[in-house]
Amino acid sequence: MASDSRNVAADDQLATLTLSRTESIELERPGMIGDDTSSNPWTDGDGNSSNNRQSGLQRSTSASTSVFSITKRVASIFSSSSENTSLPSAPEAVNEAAPLSRSGDSTPFSPERTGRFSLESSSTTKGLTDWTVQGSGKRVGYEDLSAIDWIHEYQKERQREQVYQQQQGVWGKLKLIGDSSQVWLILIATGIAVGVIAAGIDIVSNWLGDIKLGYCKSSFYLSQAFCCWGVDENDVCDNWVSWGDALHARGGWSYIVSYLFYIIFGVLFGSSASLLVLQYAPYASQSGIPEIKTILNGFIIRGFMGFWTLLTKALGLCLASGSGLWLGKEGPLVHLACCCANLATRVSSTLRHNEARKREIFSAAAAAGITVAFGAPIGGVVFSLEQVSYYFPDKTMWQSFVCAMVASVSIQLLNPFRTGKLVLFQVVYSRPFHKFELGPFVLLGIMGGIFGGLFIKLNMRIARWRTRNRILGYPLIEVVLLSVATSIINFPDTFSRLQNNILVFRLFQECNGNLTVLCNPDYFGSTVLLLMLVCIIGFFFTAYTFGTSVPSGVLMPSMAIGACYGRIVGIAMEVWQKQHPDFFLFDSCLPDLPCITPGLYAIVGAASALGGATRLTVSLVVIMFELTGALTYVLPIMVAVMVSKWVGDAFERKGIYESWIQFHDYPYLDNREEPIADITVAEIMTRLDELVVLTASGHIVDSLEQILTAQNYKGFPVVADSREAILIGYISRSELRYALQQARAIGLGGDARCYLGGSLPSGDEAAHCVDLRQWVDQTPITLSHRSSLQLAVSMFQKLGLRYVLLTMRGQLQGLITKKDICAKYTVQ
């Protein structure tokens, strides 16, 4: 995805788009476009369908606007023009920064004031008019499982900045500097926190993984690597004691005792991780990247980035990694980084109440998460741009760079592996590759694409099977049984017994005369068989584990599997070259020096497997390049990644994260360039007779409260009357409920008349009426119901819309939501 397609502020693109299709847009009442204040069309409840019939995404409505007002409105929002407009006067609820919840569930809805920038509906401040009342309506905060209004959020931020810019004097300049520095302080704090958490997870998970095999006699808290520091891998470490030796077992009994301890600790750690997740934070399970992508796309998931989610996922990730389950901690580190960023934004009143700017911070935090996972700061920035971010302007790239740099410096200073490197498996090769090796690299790319395609299909089949069977009601038992099976099968194989990051570290290494099992020619046959067994075990166990109720990622297991089959190919090439040195392909090999580097094949295989599973391209190449530290190996990695993506796309165009987004039915609209069905929006819209609409007058407080009670929809169109259905605007469920609560609070009874449009009665009668007009969005985006789906998709993508209302000569015909677009995005 190109970054320009993410730029919601693409004024020139939107102008070209809208002006080229003027026949499809109703040129009606002039007005400003875009601030559709409806809470996003997502019904609470079942979420079974995408229309206004108790659907997953609720239908919303809006008033008519002109083509030229569209272009003018968007340009005024995202450009640096200094039009005098007011700040929003609506109460805003804190969304991702909601009060902490131990369970991770949605928090009760409680509107809050936006702070000192709030204005009354009829007030003006320093020449700024209250645009929220005149156009988009006053707001309350977003509810759980709803989408944000990108246009409203950036308009609010632009007006807030205008207030600071208009202040004069030294004090005004200092306040402006202080306001600008908040973002950078939060980014620095996030980077430091991510580095510290990642270092702690690495240390604890390595120790837990080693404690299953034995303990350090001198210092119980040391892992095997630190306990045997300085001892050669082939030598015996007297300081490290296996559990069989600790219990003075001899012969075969020592193996059996060690086997039992390995199983017991594996089950204990795996079940503890699952129990933590189930009891304290259900959102801490799995990797979290599909949800992060959806949140950055503009969705609200309360509790997903809260404190208890952060704490539970960090502890659970240590336990799950140490249990021996086939999972990784790299993907979950992205989730943890976004949790740190969310908590850091709570100290800033300006960022806390602006969901669009918070998502810029989350994009930067995602880059820091990949940085500490792979030791690749630049790769982290590109990963955030390519994989997770929806809106990625230049300033967000710079912020991501800063956050990734700080995280990298933090983990470098902590040095958790005591090697001076950012990650355990970071390597540097001394020999270049040869041209004839491009053929095997292409083969590795094909193998990676096949692995990725089959892995995604198997993983999604298991996920669907899990939802249809009773095992879904017993997730803890599922994890216990999975831990038992994994431990029993892993232990006999000396390679699968290792933790994934240690396995990858050993597979990446050059031999350089070191006669380890991987480098000794006498053991090549058995080594190849063991590595093939690891590939098979890892494939099936990773496919099943990714989706259980434990913190789990898919990046490191994919790399481990790819490194295994890559090392097999490397060993085969090495044996072939040594047995047939005069073969014409090996003419470039020097006679007295090693020609083939099997570790390089492991690197390329790991990249191909990771690319096949995730469909990463540029960011993956950068990450692997930063791991090897040499520009020499960029070409082999690029070839393998390119081929793996092509082959993987032949199986399924979606990567593993996009597949899970589709599985959960999240309202995620990607900016991919894919064919779109050649139909009109009328064919997929929710029609007027299926909508619940409100008339401008004729309602009382009791009747509106009954509608709120009877209907689950999160917003209602407002029309002049039920017969003509002339569109006036749209009122969100949140705003309507809040306004009715305020009316009750000031003593108005249930028979008080409510007005959503038109004029209020005069005289004493006006004192007993409820004026809801200030809460109605009078300038939402509309299209003709005869417009093409292509135009609607472009508007949803470039403006980050939640819904578009469809009219004909000012009469409401229906509406189309983001979920409708997601369902009909590709040609059926």
Side-chain angles (χ1 to χ4, degrees):
M1 295 182 293
S3 60
D4 55 20
S5 67
R6 293 183 177 83
N7 193 345
V8 185
D11 309 339
D12 52 345
Q13 296 180 17
L14 180 62
T16 304
L17 171 69
T18 53
L19 290 174
S20 65
R21 296 302 305 270
T22 54
E23 72 278 3
S24 300
I25 303 179
E26 296 295 325
L27 298 178
E28 299 176 1
R29 176 180 85 249
M32 303 178 73
I33 178 175
D35 278 326
D36 49 299
T37 37
S38 62
S39 63
N40 177 60
W42 185 278
T43 60
D44 40 9
D46 298 335
N48 295 323
S49 66
S50 64
N51 50 34
N52 211 349
R53 303 176 288 255
Q54 294 183 354
S55 59
L57 273 179
Q58 159 234 334
R59 311 299 191 193
S60 313
T61 58
S62 56
S64 304
T65 54
S66 70
V67 171
F68 303 103
S69 61
I70 292 177
T71 307
K72 179 179 178 182
R73 179 69 174 276
V74 175
S76 66
I77 290 172
F78 297 110
S79 68
S80 58
S81 61
S82 56
E83 296 181 2
N84 288 334
T85 51
S86 77
L87 297 175
S89 61
E92 301 273 348
V94 181
N95 297 308
E96 299 299 334
L100 303 182
S101 172
R102 294 175 68 95
S103 64
D105 295 333
S106 59
T107 56
F109 179 78
S110 56
E112 298 180 5
R113 283 287 177 185
T114 54
R116 57 181 174 176
F117 299 108
S118 298
L119 303 174
E120 295 303 325
S121 61
S122 60
S123 65
T124 59
T125 303
K126 296 185 179 180
L128 301 180
T129 59
D130 192 355
W131 63 275
T132 61
V133 175
Q134 297 180 358
S136 65
K138 296 171 68 175
R139 303 293 183 95
V140 296
Y142 303 104
E143 292 184 330
D144 190 25
L145 301 180
S146 64
I148 69 170
D149 187 340
W150 289 90
I151 296 178
H152 174 82
E153 296 297 321
Y154 278 109
Q155 177 72 14
K156 183 171 62 176
E157 175 61 17
R158 170 59 58 192
Q159 294 174 341
R160 190 191 65 80
E161 291 177 351
Q162 289 178 11
V163 172
Y164 278 105
Q165 293 171 0
Q166 291 176 2
Q167 296 183 13
Q168 304 297 324
V170 177
W171 180 243
K173 297 298 181 183
L174 291 176
K175 291 176 65 177
L176 181 60
I177 294 173
D179 179 71
S180 302
S181 64
Q182 290 184 37
V183 173
W184 303 107
L185 294 176
I186 288 174
L187 291 173
I188 293 172
T190 299
I192 294 174
V194 172
V196 172
I197 292 174
I201 290 175
D202 287 332
I203 294 172
V204 175
S205 61
N206 287 337
W207 181 79
L208 290 176
D210 289 341
I211 204 68
K212 297 184 302 179
L213 302 173
Y215 68 95
C216 186
K217 186 166 54 177
S218 60
S219 301
F220 185 79
Y221 58 87
L222 292 179
S223 64
Q224 185 174 6
F226 287 116
C227 182
C228 302
W229 192 264
V231 179
D232 190 81
E233 184 179 347
N234 296 322
D235 297 335
V236 177
C237 178
D238 296 330
N239 207 25
W240 182 260
V241 182
S242 68
W243 290 112
D245 295 338
L247 297 180
H248 306 291
R250 296 291 180 266
W253 285 107
S254 177
Y255 182 86
I256 294 175
V257 170
S258 298
Y259 203 163
L260 290 175
F261 270 89
Y262 185 88
I263 296 173
I264 291 171
F265 278 118
V267 174
L268 176 63
F269 296 156
S271 58
S272 298
S274 179
L275 188 62
L276 279 174
V277 169
L278 295 173
Q279 288 293 113
Y280 296 101
Y283 283 139
S285 63
Q286 304 182 37
S287 72
I289 290 183
E291 288 78 11
I292 293 294
K293 287 169 66 71
T294 306
I295 289 173
L296 294 183
N297 201 251
F299 199 56
I300 296 289
I301 305 179
R302 288 189 183 276
F304 188 77
M305 297 181 186
F307 173 77
W308 283 104
T309 301
L310 171 64
L311 182 61
T312 302
K313 190 147 196 169
L315 295 176
L317 192 57
C318 295
L319 293 167
S321 298
S323 68
L325 292 172
W326 277 86
L327 50 83
K329 53 180 180 288
E330 287 67 29
L333 282 174
V334 176
H335 185 190
L336 292 174
C338 291
C339 290
C340 294
N342 179 58
L343 295 176
T345 57
R346 296 185 180 183
V347 303
S348 171
S349 60
T350 58
L351 293 175
R352 185 170 68 244
H353 294 296
N354 194 296
E355 294 298 326
R357 292 194 68 197
K358 284 169 65 176
R359 275 148 183 78
E360 296 177 7
I361 303 296
F362 297 157
S363 295
I370 291 296
T371 296
V372 297
F374 291 105
I378 305 302
V381 175
V382 183
F383 176 87
S384 179
L385 168 63
E386 179 184 359
Q387 183 67 23
V388 299
S389 297
Y390 174 77
Y391 176 53
F392 204 88
D394 292 340
K395 66 174 183 178
T396 304
M397 180 177 293
W398 172 235
Q399 292 169 358
S400 301
F401 178 81
V402 171
C403 193
M405 180 198 66
V406 173
S408 179
V409 171
S410 299
I411 199 169
Q412 180 80 52
L413 293 176
L414 293 172
N415 195 14
F417 306 109
R418 295 298 183 266
T419 60
K421 298 179 180 180
L422 296 179
V423 290
L424 178 62
F425 48 87
Q426 191 174 21
V427 295
V428 177
Y429 293 144
S430 59
R431 294 191 295 268
F433 72 96
H434 302 274
K435 294 180 180 178
F436 69 84
E437 293 180 283
L438 289 177
F441 295 151
V442 172
L443 174 62
L444 290 175
I446 295 174
M447 296 172 66
I450 294 174
F451 159 76
L454 295 178
F455 172 79
I456 294 172
K457 287 185 176 296
L458 178 60
N459 180 251
M460 299 316 300
R461 282 182 178 272
I462 293 173
R464 288 189 288 269
W465 169 83
R466 187 179 285 119
T467 61
R468 293 193 300 264
N469 290 271
R470 293 188 60 185
I471 195 170
L472 183 65
Y474 306 95
L476 180 58
I477 296 178
E478 179 187 20
V479 173
V480 171
L481 296 177
L482 179 62
S483 299
V484 172
T486 304
S487 300
I488 291 175
I489 295 177
N490 276 352
F491 187 83
D493 192 327
T494 55
F495 291 114
S496 61
R497 188 188 306 174
L498 300 173
Q499 297 183 67
N500 285 333
N501 59 340
I502 298 177
L503 174 62
V504 171
F505 169 71
R506 295 189 178 181
L507 294 173
F508 281 4
Q509 296 302 304
E510 283 187 295
C511 289
N512 292 328
N514 189 2
L515 294 181
T516 60
V517 175
L518 287 171
C519 299
N520 193 335
D522 297 335
Y523 297 101
F524 275 175
S526 59
T527 298
V528 169
L529 290 177
L530 290 177
L531 290 178
M532 291 179 63
L533 184 61
V534 172
C535 290
I536 297 172
I537 293 173
F539 175 79
F540 288 102
F541 274 109
T542 303
Y544 192 94
T545 305
F546 190 70
T548 54
S549 58
V550 293
S552 58
V554 73
L555 301 182
M556 185 53 63
S558 298
M559 288 185 65
I561 295 170
C564 285
Y565 67 67
R567 189 83 186 200
I568 292 174
V569 174
I571 291 174
M573 290 292 296
E574 184 179 23
V575 172
W576 184 21
Q577 189 272 332
K578 288 183 177 180
Q579 292 181 354
H580 304 279
D582 297 330
F583 192 69
F584 73 94
L585 288 178
F586 307 131
D587 292 341
S588 59
C589 297
L590 298 177
D592 299 328
L593 295 176
C595 181
I596 304 297
T597 305
L600 172 60
Y601 287 76
I603 285 276
V604 176
S608 68
L610 194 54
T614 63
R615 304 297 194 271
L616 291 173
T617 53
V618 179
S619 60
L620 178 55
V621 173
V622 175
I623 289 171
M624 303 307 293
F625 157 66
E626 291 187 90
L627 281 177
T628 59
L631 188 62
T632 310
Y633 308 110
V634 170
L635 181 58
I637 296 171
M638 290 179 65
V639 170
V641 170
M642 176 188 67
V643 174
S644 69
K645 177 172 174 56
W646 285 345
V647 175
D649 286 345
F651 286 87
E652 172 62 55
R653 293 191 62 86
K654 294 183 177 64
I656 184 64
Y657 300 130
E658 290 77 17
S659 298
W660 274 93
I661 289 174
Q662 186 180 42
F663 175 77
H664 287 302
D665 205 21
Y666 291 138
Y668 177 79
L669 181 61
D670 203 348
N671 286 299
R672 305 182 308 270
E673 293 294 335
E674 291 194 6
I676 299 172
D678 187 19
I679 58 177
T680 63
V681 292
E683 298 183 45
I684 64 173
M685 71 179 183
T686 301
R687 301 184 181 279
L688 177 61
D689 55 0
E690 298 171 334
L691 294 171
V692 177
V693 298
L694 303 178
T695 55
S697 59
H699 291 284
I700 60 175
V701 172
D702 282 343
S703 64
L704 291 178
E705 288 179 343
Q706 290 175 3
I707 292 176
L708 291 175
T709 302
Q711 305 294 339
N712 289 328
Y713 314 137
K714 292 193 174 180
F716 306 94
V718 180
V719 296
D721 58 76
S722 57
R723 295 182 60 185
E724 297 293 334
I726 300 298
L727 187 61
I728 293 179
Y730 177 89
I731 185 167
S732 170
R733 179 186 188 91
S734 303
E735 280 80 50
L736 179 58
R737 182 175 58 187
Y738 180 78
L740 295 178
Q741 290 174 353
Q742 293 296 100
R744 292 285 193 181
I746 63 175
L748 292 178
D751 58 348
R753 287 189 292 172
C754 301
Y755 289 85
L756 294 94
S759 302
L760 292 179
S762 58
D764 296 337
E765 188 178 357
H768 301 283
C769 296
V770 181
D771 185 10
L772 299 177
R773 296 174 301 174
Q774 57 187 330
W775 300 99
V776 176
D777 181 6
Q778 304 170 29
T779 58
I781 295 178
T782 62
L783 280 177
S784 168
H785 70 295
R786 294 187 294 267
S787 300
S788 68
L789 182 61
Q790 172 72 59
L791 176 61
V793 168
S794 298
M795 294 184 69
F796 273 92
Q797 290 176 335
K798 293 177 172 62
L799 290 177
L801 302 178
R802 301 170 296 170
Y803 65 87
V804 172
L805 291 175
L806 306 173
T807 61
M808 182 181 67
R809 299 185 181 90
Q811 291 183 329
L812 179 64
Q813 302 295 310
L815 76 118
I816 184 173
T817 67
K818 180 188 285 188
K819 194 169 186 182
D820 297 326
I821 296 297
C822 295
K824 294 292 183 180
Y825 190 29
T826 56
V827 177
Q828 301 299 319

